Amino acid sequence: MRISVIGCGYVGLVTGTGLAEAGHQVICTDNDPERIAALKSGVVPIYEPHLDTMLAENRRAQKLSFTSDAGEAVREGEAIFICVGTPPLETGEADLSAIDNVARLIAAEACESKLIVEKSTVPAQTGQQLKRTLEVYRRNAGVEFRVASNPEFLREGTAVEDFLHPDRVIIGVEDETSEKQLREIYRPILERRFHCPVHLSGCPSTQSPALVVTTINSAELIKHASNSFLAMKISYANMIADMCEKVGANIQEVTHAMGLDPRIGPRFLEAGLGFGGFCLPKDVQAFIQLAERSGVDSGMLKEAERVNRRRIDLFLEKIRQSLWVVKDKQVGVLGLAFKANTDDIRFAPSLEIIRRLLAEGAQVRAYDQEAMDRTSAILPHVRYSREPYEVADGADALLILTEWQEFRQLDWARIYSTMGRPLVIDGRNLLNPGAMLDLGFEYYSFGRPIEALTQHLIPSLDSGASARASA
Ligand code: UDX
C-alpha cells in the first residue's frame, strides 16, 4: 500500500522504515525542515540500532522517501500514520496540539478518502476528537476519513526489532474497511516474513505476533494501561530493594525468585534509579490526568510516580553518606542516556543527579558512548571524556547511571589503581558487588547490602560472574 507517515521522530522513523521494509511504499514528512534535509542526505538524527542501515536500504530501493511538503505527503498515502509527539503539559496532561495541527492539515489537503492511523500515544477518547476535527475542517467534498488507533510498543534501543517482531499488534477500528486495510498493512509482520536483526537480548521471540482487533477507545487505553503497569512494576521492585537494604536481603535474588512465577515474570523488576525516557514518565502522568478527569482514583499511579521520583534523592543520599562533603570533589559519571543502547536523555535521571552535584560544588566529568552530544548542549559545565578511563582518573567517586554493557567489560583493576578514592556508586546494579569488593572498592548499589551477598550466584546473575572474571 501507499503509506504516509507524519512525524519523523523515534516512532515515525521506525514506523516508516519498518513499513517500507515490510514492502509498502512510504513517504515521511516532518515540520522540521532541517530534520527532513538531514534524512534526505542519509543522516539519521537519532541513534537506534539497525535503523540507519534499514533506512538507507529502503531509500535506495525507493520504498521510502522524505518530503518537507506536508500536503504532498498527505495526498500520497492511502493510509496516513500520525506519529507526532504528545509531550506532557505543566499539568501532566498530554499536549495534543501536534495531533490537532496534523488533523487540520490532513482535512485541508486530502483530495481522496483516507485511513487515518493514530500511532502517537494519546489518552483514550482522543480518536473521537480526531474524527470530529477531520470532519469539521474537511475541505474537499466526497472525501471520507476513517480513523483507527494503532498504538506503538517500541522500546528505545530495540525499536527496529520491536516493530518487525512485535509481541502483538493492536488495532482499534470502527469499520470493516479500516480493519481490512490494517490487516493488509501488517500482514508481512504478522506472518513473520523477516529475518530480523539479532535481538539485543539475544534471541528474537519465535511465536507469531498476536493481532488484537478492538475499538479505538480500548486500543488507546491498552497503551497507557501497559506502560503504566510497567512503571508500577519498576517502582514495586524499587520499594522491595529499599526493603532489602533494611532487612539485609538481596534484591536480585528476591526478584529472580519472584520472576519464576509466570504470573509475575522476570522482566522489569530491575531496581535502581527508576524509569526515565520520553514514554513511561509522560504516559503515567497522562494516565493519572485521564483517571482524574474520569473520576477514577489514580492513587496507585501517583504512588508509582512518587516512588520513582525518590530514586534520585536516595542515590544522592548514598553519595553523601560515602563521600561526606561533595563540594570540590571530583565525581566521575559513567552513563548519561536514560537507558542503555540509546542516545536519548529525555527524563534521564543523570541530568538531575549531575545538576544537583554541580549545585553542591562538585567537579563532574562524564562519559557516555552515545549521549554526550545531547547532554553537553544542556549541561555545559561538565567535562566530557571520549573514553571511560579518563572519567575515573583521579576521581573521588565514580557513579554508574546507565546500564551500558561497555561498563561491565571495563578493566576495573585498572580503574581501582587510577581513582583518587576507589568509591563506586552503581545506580543500575550493573556490576557484581563481590567482584568489586574483592578488588578493594568501596561499592554501593540498590538493594544489595554486603550482609546479603551470597556466594552461590543464581543463573540470572551470571553476568556478575563475568564481571568477577573480567575485574
Ligand atoms: C517503554 C516501553 O517499554 C515501550 O513498550 C513503550 O512503547 C515506550 O516506553 P522505553 O521507554 O524505550 O520503552 O524503555 P524501557 O526499556 O521500557 O525502560 C524505561 C525506563 O525504565 C528506563 O529508564 C529503564 O532504565 C527503566 N527500567 C526498565 C528500570 O528501571 N527497571 C527495569 O527493570 C526496566
Side-chain angles (χ1 to χ4, degrees):
M1 279 175 71
R2 284 178 292 112
I3 294 174
S4 306
V5 170
I6 302 183
C8 293
Y10 279 93
V11 175
L13 277 182
V14 173
T15 299
T17 305
L19 289 173
E21 184 72 12
H24 299 293
Q25 190 63 43
V26 180
I27 183 168
C28 302
T29 189
D30 191 289
N31 63 5
D32 175 357
E34 281 172 26
R35 179 168 283 248
I36 295 297
L39 286 160
K40 279 180 147 178
S41 64
V43 172
V44 182
I46 58 170
Y47 170 80
E48 188 59 52
H50 309 299
L51 180 63
D52 48 358
T53 43
M54 193 170 285
L55 191 147
E57 278 159 19
N58 283 286
R59 281 191 65 226
R60 243 193 321 276
Q62 299 186 333
K63 301 293 288 175
L64 177 64
S65 64
F66 296 94
T67 176
S68 46
D69 177 349
E72 174 195 359
V74 167
R75 284 185 293 278
E76 275 294 303
E78 301 161 70
I80 300 177
F81 280 71
I82 300 177
C83 300
V84 292
T86 54
L89 293 167
E90 280 303 307
T91 59
E93 298 260 4
D95 176 354
L96 301 176
S97 55
I99 303 268
D100 179 48
N101 292 335
V102 167
R104 286 183 285 133
L105 166 84
I106 293 169
E109 296 288 351
C111 307
E112 56 189 8
S113 294
K114 306 272 175 194
L115 168 63
I116 312 301
V117 183
E118 198 188 57
K119 176 72 83 174
S120 305
T121 300
V122 293
Q125 300 189 324
T126 301
Q128 307 309 325
Q129 296 289 355
L130 182 54
K131 277 167 50 181
R132 256 191 290 285
T133 304
L134 288 162
E135 207 37 53
V136 164
Y137 287 90
R138 179 164 54 88
R139 189 173 299 163
N140 297 319
V143 169
E144 181 200 311
F145 294 119
R146 285 174 285 101
V147 171
S149 165
N150 172 224
E152 53 86 11
F153 298 97
L154 307 177
R155 292 163 297 166
E156 290 185 42
T158 57
V160 168
E161 206 265 341
D162 289 342
F163 188 85
L164 294 174
H165 276 244
D167 304 321
R168 74 274 208 222
V169 175
I170 312 286
I171 56 175
V173 290
E174 291 186 341
D175 62 272
E176 297 230 330
T177 311
S178 303
E179 179 182 340
K180 247 171 65 196
Q181 281 185 305
L182 279 164
R183 283 178 181 275
E184 182 57 26
I185 288 170
Y186 279 101
R187 191 148 52 82
I189 289 171
L190 293 168
E191 291 170 359
R192 298 187 72 69
R193 285 206 227 131
F194 294 93
H195 169 68
C196 188
V198 174
H199 193 290
L200 278 154
S201 72
C203 53
S205 49
T206 46
Q207 82 277 6
S208 291
L211 174 68
V212 174
V213 183
T214 181
T215 61
I216 293 177
N217 288 341
S218 294
E220 291 165 332
L221 199 59
I222 288 166
K223 172 67 182 178
H224 269 161
S226 298
N227 265 13
S228 297
F229 182 77
L230 293 172
M232 286 200 299
K233 206 175 174 186
I234 292 166
S235 283
Y236 184 76
N238 279 323
M239 181 199 73
I240 302 288
D242 296 345
M243 195 83 80
C244 286
E245 290 183 10
K246 300 297 181 201
V247 305
N250 180 319
I251 183 62
Q252 286 178 323
E253 298 189 352
V254 169
T255 53
H256 170 74
M258 286 168 63
L260 295 174
D261 179 335
R263 293 169 304 173
I264 298 173
R267 310 221 6 224
F268 271 70
L269 287 171
E270 301 288 328
L273 286 167
F275 55 87
F278 196 59
C279 291
L280 294 196
K282 77 174 174 64
D283 290 356
V284 172
Q285 286 181 46
F287 207 23
I288 288 170
Q289 294 301 318
L290 177 66
E292 307 262 296
R293 273 202 317 276
S294 318
V296 172
D297 175 22
S298 61
M300 196 186 291
L301 298 172
K302 286 178 179 167
E303 263 312 289
E305 220 185 18
R306 192 187 62 76
V307 166
N308 194 58
R309 272 200 305 274
R310 242 174 81 65
R311 305 317 291 165
I312 291 176
D313 298 333
L314 292 173
F315 189 72
L316 284 158
E317 266 171 51
K318 289 177 188 290
I319 294 172
R320 286 193 201 94
Q321 274 162 12
S322 43
L323 201 54
W324 184 37
V325 174
V326 171
K327 189 171 175 350
D328 296 334
K329 293 285 173 45
Q330 191 178 307
V331 178
V333 166
L334 291 180
L336 296 166
F338 83 91
K339 70 174 210 181
N341 303 311
T342 180
D343 65 349
D344 197 349
I345 57 170
R346 293 174 295 181
F347 293 77
S350 60
L351 303 183
E352 177 62 16
I353 290 168
I354 291 172
R355 280 195 189 101
R356 285 169 57 176
L357 289 172
L358 291 173
E360 293 190 36
Q363 309 289 324
V364 177
R365 271 195 303 188
Y367 166 83
D368 183 298
Q369 63 181 59
E370 294 298 340
M372 281 192 287
D373 294 346
R374 292 180 190 272
T375 310
S376 55
I378 50 174
L379 288 177
H381 304 299
V382 170
R383 279 176 56 197
Y384 296 93
S385 305
R386 282 287 152 211
E387 53 92 39
Y389 294 105
E390 198 181 282
V391 163
D393 194 6
D396 300 299
L398 188 59
L399 314 180
I400 297 182
L401 305 185
T402 310
E403 67 286 7
W404 284 105
Q405 279 308 311
E406 175 193 7
F407 304 148
R408 196 169 256 167
Q409 268 98 42
L410 293 177
D411 177 350
W412 285 96
R414 171 181 167 190
I415 289 176
Y416 176 81
S417 64
T418 63
M419 285 185 75
R421 172 178 169 186
L423 168 60
V424 172
I425 307 173
D426 183 352
R428 291 296 181 187
N429 285 0
L430 182 74
L431 302 176
N432 176 280
M436 296 301 279
L437 295 171
D438 288 351
L439 282 168
F441 282 100
E442 296 167 74
Y443 175 79
Y444 300 96
S445 60
F446 281 106
R448 303 186 300 177
I450 289 185
E451 66 270 30
L453 299 186
T454 52
Q455 290 319 309
H456 58 279
L457 280 177
I458 41 186
S460 68
L461 290 185
D462 267 353
S463 47
S466 66
R468 190 189 294 278
S470 64

